[in-house]
Structures are given as C-alpha cells and as structure tokens.
C-alpha cells in the first residue's frame, strides 16, 4: 500500500503518532494509499526545521527568491499533466478541470516571481532637519497554511509562493482526503532549488491543526475550508496572538435578468453549477431568475442539459464532471436534496440514483436541478458542495439583491444582463466579495486578491496578490538622522520633525 508521509526539513518521515487514514480513488471507491496523521510532535519538528531555515532564507535577496519562482514555473509547466493526474487520482475531477487548477496556481507563481517590486519600500528625505524616514516590509518568520480537499494543488499554491517569496518559511497542513498533491508540490519546489526547511508538509486532521494554532513560533496562519472550521481557526489562532486569514464556505447566487441572453446564462450555470461536481467555493449553487417568464424559460433550457450531463472518471476525456470526494460526502449531499424535496422544492432532475457501469463502487452523483426553492428551506440556507443547482424565483431585481445581501455567505455572485444600469447598481450594492457581470465564476487573477465577505471570510486580508504581500510581511519604519553633527538639544515635548 502506497504510504504518504510528512516532509520535514527536506526528509520524508512517518512521524511518531502511528496513526494513518485511508485515501481513496473516488472514481472506483478503492483505497489507493494511506496517509500518516501527525500531531503536536510532527508540527513541533516542522516548526523547528522552518525556524532553522528562516535566517538564511529571509536574507536571500528578494530577486533571487523571485528567480526560484521562475524556475518553479518552468518545472510546473513541464509537469502540468502529472500534477493534474495527481489531483484527479484522489479528488476525482476531470483532467481538463485539474489542468485549469494548475494554470491558476501558475498565475500565483508568476506574481510571486516579481516579489522584489512588491517588497520595495518607501523613502522620504528631510522629514526634519537631516532626518530621513524609510518604510519597509519584513518577513514574519514561520507561517502555516491549512488547506481543503477541493483544490489540493491550487489552494496550497495560493499561499506558499507568496509566503516564501516574501521571505517566510512555511509549514503546510494539507487536506487528509487528497494529500499526494502536497508532496508533489514539495518535489517541484525542491527541483527548483528551494533549500531544505523552507517548506515543510505535515499531514493530519484536527490534531495537527490544533498544534499549528497553539504553536508559539508560528506567526501567521492562512486557512481555506468550511465556515465552521474557518471560524474556529480564526478564533483560536487570534487568541494565540497570531495573524490569521480564514476563508470559509459559500452559497453563490446568479441573478438572471429578463433581458439576459438566456443561452449564455444557461451555459454559464451548467459550468459554474456542475463543473468539479459543484465542489468549488465559487460554484454557482443558486440561480435567481427575475420573473416567472424568465424562470420558466431558464428551467426549460437547463433541465435537459442537467439530465444529459456527461459524468465519468478523469481518464474519460469527454466527461464534464467526475465523482464527489467520498462516500460520506455523497450521503450528505443526497440528504440535502431529500430535505429540500420534503420542504417543497420541485426535483426537476434527480441525480441521487446515478450508477456508472464499470465503476459501481465509485462515489458518483448525477446532476440535480431543484426548482421553486424558497429562502426558508435548508437546501437554500446551507452550503451543499455538490452537483446541485437550486432555482429560486424572484419577482423583481430588488428582491433578488435583498435575498443575496441577507445570506450569511458572501463569497461570489454574478448578474447576467444587458442592462448597464442594473449591472452597475448590482456591483455597488451587493454585499459579496467577488462579483461577476456576465461572468459566472469571478475568481480574481493573481495580480488582484481573492476573498469573500460576511461568513465566507474571517480576517482582514484577501489571499494571494497584493493583499498577500501585506499579510505575509510586517511594516517597519526607520527614522534616521545624518549627519550626526546637527544638535537639537534635549527636547521634552513630543518630538515633531519639521
Ligand atoms: P474542511 O473545513 O472540512 O477542511 C479544511 C481543513 O481543515 C483541512 O485541512 C482539514 O484537515 C481541517 N479540519 C477539518 N476538520 C477540522 C476540525 N474539526 N478542526 C480542525 N481542523 C479541521 O473543508 P473541506 O471539506 O476540505 O473543503 C471544502 C470547504 O472549503 C467548503 O466549505 C468550501 O466552500 C471551502 N472552500 C473555501 C474556499 C474559499 O476560498 N473561500 C476555497 C476552497 C474551499
């Protein structure tokens, strides 16, 4: 049985906990590996390795750290198929979808390659007689990342390139459900020339997370996962005096105005609702058509397409979506649909019974389309995180905006319309962090930053891009007086430079 181990100080190690967890191929339902589960001992060892590497790494010129990212970019590009296959083998997403994940990760590496420009400081000459001030941003020290299963490569790479390009050293605690991608990421960095100890990988679950949150020498924690855990990580990490950014779950709405191009909107909903089996924090899970006529026409377009979704393993090039991550996830998703049906939603297309010939034990779900969902239903309030699209009919645009603004989540949203007035009002008034106008999945490119509002994100900073430079560094301001010959005499009032 393939065993996935920790990587601490550049060395593979099984750690000392003796605990392991099964890793599955979701397409076949067979166990493909076991992952070792670390705890406090392994986190302590990883932090020691990261601390030992910090001084040299943080004093390496930023341009040289950037050049390592250029090398990494070349290596990742050359091995993109292998990275995608590693993702799909444990996650189940289609090969093309996994390649898209790699492309998005590469964008962050590109941004991190230019880190020298982003770390450039500010300088003010003569803020007082012979006095100059310069402001710079310095690395924090050892920082950690805790990541979810749904982007086993991209989400760690939202964090690691930015954190280490800024001069920090890193401890990654990846998802225990698809852990192989994390070890492959380490190999890629190693091949690019990253010194031992700068990046460490400790596998595990709650025990490893708690050890990260409580460790006094971890300065900052980036978390991406579900909202209850994000809130827990934020609260416990902040209580331990750390800087924490914790990105959580989502319920993303798409408004379809009566003037929208309905074919374009239906295309967008198919991809954004069912791509990656709906296991994306930016998936559209609620379509909000305005008016009965728009709703009837939209459902008529969607229903046959949802029923005809091509579902298959990642090795099937024609597949549009793969299985869900585990048998438990499938059970939970089916439970959400059952509850919605009981509460009065109309099941227009039912994916609960899907069986795939040759893959009878895989974790398959068909696409499900629910109509006449209302805002009081559990199926609307909770994040389903599966291939389920709800249609919630709104009487008018104002009602749709109020609905979205009242939802506890605020990660992504979109409006499909030809009306510039409505689009402009929407982008201004909507209480959501990432907004699309005729763009269903508005994930910002790496030169911007990613982050939701409300209970989709805890902490002040977005992830990657310029916000990451601020998150992974702290400000130092140095005030200098030269020449030393200028005498101001003893000053007992609060000093003003001018
Ligand atoms: P999860 O919250 O179950 O797990 C995330 C991480 O937390 C994992 O590393 C896991 O080991 C750890 N963890 C799990 N339970 C824990 C506990 N009780 N105590 C401490 N740590 C624990 O999330 P998931 O199922 O892996 O990922 C899916 C979720 O992530 C969805 O809610 C999705 O919306 C969210 N997500 C959000 C974003 C975003 O950017 N906002 C991006 C991707 C995924």
């Amino acid at each position: 049985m393939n065993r996935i181990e920790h990587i601490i100080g550049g060395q593979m190690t099984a750690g000392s906990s003796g605990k392991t967890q099964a890793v599955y191929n979701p397409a076949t339902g067979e166990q493909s590996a076991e992952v070792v589960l670390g705890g406090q001992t392994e986190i302590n060892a990883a932090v020691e390795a990261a601390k030992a590497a910090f001084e040299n790494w943080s004093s390496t010129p930023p341009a040289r750290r950037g050049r390592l990212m250029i090398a990494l970019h070349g290596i990742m590009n050359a091995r993109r198929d292998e990275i995608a296959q590693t993702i799909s083998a444990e996650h189940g997403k289609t090969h093309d979808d996994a390649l898209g994940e790699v492309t998005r990760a590469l964008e962050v590496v590109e941004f991190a390659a230019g880190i020298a420009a982003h770390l450039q400081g500010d300088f003010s000459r003569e803020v007082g007689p012979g006095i100059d001030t310069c402001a710079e941003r310095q690395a924090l020290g050892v920082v950690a990342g805790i990541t979810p299963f749904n982007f086993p490569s991209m989400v760690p790479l939202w964090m690691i390139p930015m954190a280490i390009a800024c001069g920090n050293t890193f401890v990654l605690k990846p998802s225990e459900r698809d852990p192989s991608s994390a070890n492959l990421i380490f190999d890629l960095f190693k091949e690019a020339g990253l010194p031992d100890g700068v990046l460490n990988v400790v596998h595990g679950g709650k025990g490893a997370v708690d050890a990260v949150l409580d460790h006094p020498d971890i300065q900052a924690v980036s978390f991406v996962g579900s909202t209850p855990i994000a809130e827990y990580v934020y609260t416990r990490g902040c209580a331990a005096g750390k800087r924490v950014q914790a990105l959580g779950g989502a319920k993303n709405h798409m408004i379809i105005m009566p003037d929208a191009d309905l074919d374009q909107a239906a295309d967008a909903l198919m991809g954004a609702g069912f791509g990656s089996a709906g296991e994306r924090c930016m998936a559209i899970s609620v379509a909000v058509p305005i008016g009965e006529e728009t709703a009837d026409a939209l459902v008529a377009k969607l229903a046959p397409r949802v029923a005809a979704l091509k579902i298959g393993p990642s090795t099937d090039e024609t597949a549009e979506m793969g299985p869900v991550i585990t048998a438990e996830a499938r059970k939970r998703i089916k439970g959400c649909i059952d509850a919605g049906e009981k509460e009065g939603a109309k099941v227009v297309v039912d994916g609960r019974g899907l069986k795939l010939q040759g893959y009878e034990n895989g974790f398959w779900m068909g696409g499900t389309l629910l109509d006449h969902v209302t805002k009081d239903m559990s199926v609307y309030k909770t994040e389903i995180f599966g291939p389920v699209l709800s249609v919630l009919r709104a009487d008018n645009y104002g009602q749709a905006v109020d609905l979205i603004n009242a939802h506890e989540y605020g990660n992504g949203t979109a409006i499909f319309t030809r009306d510039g007035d409505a689009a402009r009002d929407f982008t201004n008034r909507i209480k959501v962090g990432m907004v699309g106008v005729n763009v269903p999945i508005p994930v910002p490119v790496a030169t911007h930053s990613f982050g939701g509002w409300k209970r989709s994100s805890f902490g002040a900073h977005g992830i990657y891009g310029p916000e990451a430079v601020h998150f992974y560094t702290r400000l130092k301001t140095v005030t200098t007086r030269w020449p030393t010959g200028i005498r101001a005499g003893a000053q007992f009032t609060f000093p003003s430079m001018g």
Side-chain angles (χ1 to χ4, degrees):
M1 176 67 59
N2 176 25
R3 191 158 73 156
I4 300 152
E5 297 191 332
H6 315 295
I7 306 169
I8 298 175
Q11 303 299 315
M12 304 281 292
T13 167
S16 59
S17 76
K19 291 185 195 151
T20 60
Q21 181 170 320
V23 178
Y24 293 93
N25 174 347
T28 62
E30 283 163 12
Q31 184 176 351
S32 58
E34 63 176 12
V35 60
V36 297
L37 300 179
Q40 196 165 352
T41 310
E42 291 74 18
I43 291 293
N44 285 351
V47 173
E48 282 313 308
K51 271 168 68 181
F54 178 69
E55 196 177 322
N56 266 343
W57 182 246
S58 59
S59 58
T60 299
R64 210 175 287 170
R65 297 199 297 256
R67 257 175 248 137
L68 188 139
M69 297 301 158
I70 295 172
L72 176 70
H73 193 275
I75 292 162
M76 281 181 65
N77 240 333
R79 294 173 66 177
R80 54 192 295 136
D81 269 322
E82 177 194 349
I83 303 168
Q85 278 156 10
T86 304
I87 294 168
S88 296
E90 292 177 357
H91 177 284
K93 65 178 73 173
T94 65
H95 187 66
D96 277 354
D97 192 24
L99 283 175
E101 169 171 355
V102 178
T103 301
R104 278 306 185 114
L106 278 165
E107 287 177 12
V108 179
V109 176
E110 278 164 25
F111 185 85
I115 199 68
H118 298 286
L119 292 178
Q120 206 163 285
D122 291 323
F123 179 80
S124 302
R125 182 177 293 282
E126 220 66 13
V127 295
I131 301 176
D132 306 328
T133 290
C134 87
E136 61 173 311
R137 301 205 68 93
Q138 293 193 341
L140 301 175
V142 179
V143 301
I146 302 165
T147 52
F149 81 84
N150 67 323
F151 287 103
S153 186
M154 181 185 78
V155 171
L157 288 167
W158 278 357
M159 303 171 183
I160 304 166
M162 293 307 303
I164 68 174
C166 287
N168 303 283
T169 54
F170 203 92
V171 178
L172 174 66
K173 204 305 285 168
S175 172
E176 61 277 42
R177 285 183 268 177
D178 45 14
S180 289
S181 291
N183 286 22
L184 178 56
I185 288 169
F186 173 85
D187 290 345
L188 302 169
F189 271 103
K190 175 104 183 151
E191 196 180 327
L194 193 72
D196 287 347
V198 177
L199 171 62
N200 305 275
V201 182
V202 176
H203 296 285
K206 181 171 167 50
V209 170
D210 288 347
V212 165
L213 297 176
D214 296 342
H215 200 296
D217 293 329
I218 293 179
Q219 306 298 325
V221 177
S222 299
F223 172 89
V224 177
S226 60
T227 286
I229 313 297
E231 188 168 29
Y232 168 76
V233 164
Y234 184 73
T235 309
R236 188 158 170 169
C238 288
K242 297 182 197 321
R243 192 178 279 202
V244 185
Q245 58 179 180
L247 281 69
K251 194 81 178 176
N252 304 317
H253 302 66
M254 181 170 127
I255 295 181
I256 300 96
M257 296 290 281
D259 67 353
D261 177 334
L262 274 195
D263 288 314
Q264 192 193 31
D267 283 345
L269 284 168
M270 290 304 298
F274 299 101
S276 203
E279 292 173 325
R280 291 181 185 143
C281 67
M282 289 292 277
I284 295 288
S285 49
V286 188
V288 189
I290 307 300
E292 289 297 322
E293 210 176 305
T294 314
D296 289 342
L298 183 72
V299 171
K301 282 188 188 295
L302 287 173
R305 295 183 65 174
V306 177
L309 266 170
K310 182 96 181 57
I311 298 165
S314 62
T315 44
D316 176 353
E317 280 177 18
T318 65
E320 293 164 325
M321 113 186 179
V324 298
I325 185 72
T326 54
E328 296 74 44
R330 182 176 54 185
K331 193 170 163 210
R332 188 186 50 73
I333 297 163
K334 283 184 179 178
C336 292
I337 302 169
D338 294 345
E341 188 174 28
K342 218 178 265 174
E343 289 166 336
K346 182 177 173 201
V347 184
V348 180
V349 181
D350 190 348
R352 284 172 289 192
L354 181 87
K355 291 261 179 296
L356 211 67
Q357 214 185 354
Y359 294 89
E360 283 75 12
N361 296 321
F363 312 138
W364 301 99
M365 280 274 324
T368 294
L369 183 64
L370 301 176
D371 195 4
H372 299 286
V373 170
T374 64
K375 63 181 183 187
D376 307 318
M377 292 181 186
S378 61
V379 77
Y380 172 70
K381 290 189 209 156
T382 52
E383 181 185 39
I384 301 175
F385 220 59
V388 182
L389 179 64
S390 297
V391 177
L392 196 154
R393 297 165 173 238
D395 294 338
N396 54 54
Y397 165 75
Q399 198 184 69
V401 168
D402 290 347
L403 181 79
I404 298 172
N405 283 348
H407 205 285
E408 68 166 318
Y409 295 123
N411 214 40
T413 191
I415 186 169
F416 272 62
T417 184
R418 292 182 171 111
D419 178 348
D421 286 353
R424 187 166 185 275
D425 181 77
F426 182 73
T427 56
N428 185 35
R429 273 210 292 147
I430 210 72
K431 292 179 181 152
V432 173
M434 292 170 283
V435 183
V437 176
N438 299 319
V439 172
I441 308 184
V443 174
V445 294
T447 48
H448 291 260
S449 298
F450 181 109
W453 284 17
K454 297 187 275 186
R455 289 175 59 74
S456 291
S457 185
F458 301 84
H461 291 96
I463 215 157
Y464 67 73
E467 296 249 322
V469 177
H470 276 231
F471 182 75
Y472 290 125
T473 59
R474 58 189 143 204
L475 180 68
K476 182 174 278 181
T477 312
V478 180
T479 302
T480 316
R481 185 164 67 196
W482 297 109
T484 51
I486 301 173
R487 271 197 76 181
Q491 278 185 350
F492 296 97
T493 54
F494 195 66
S496 67
M497 303 291 180

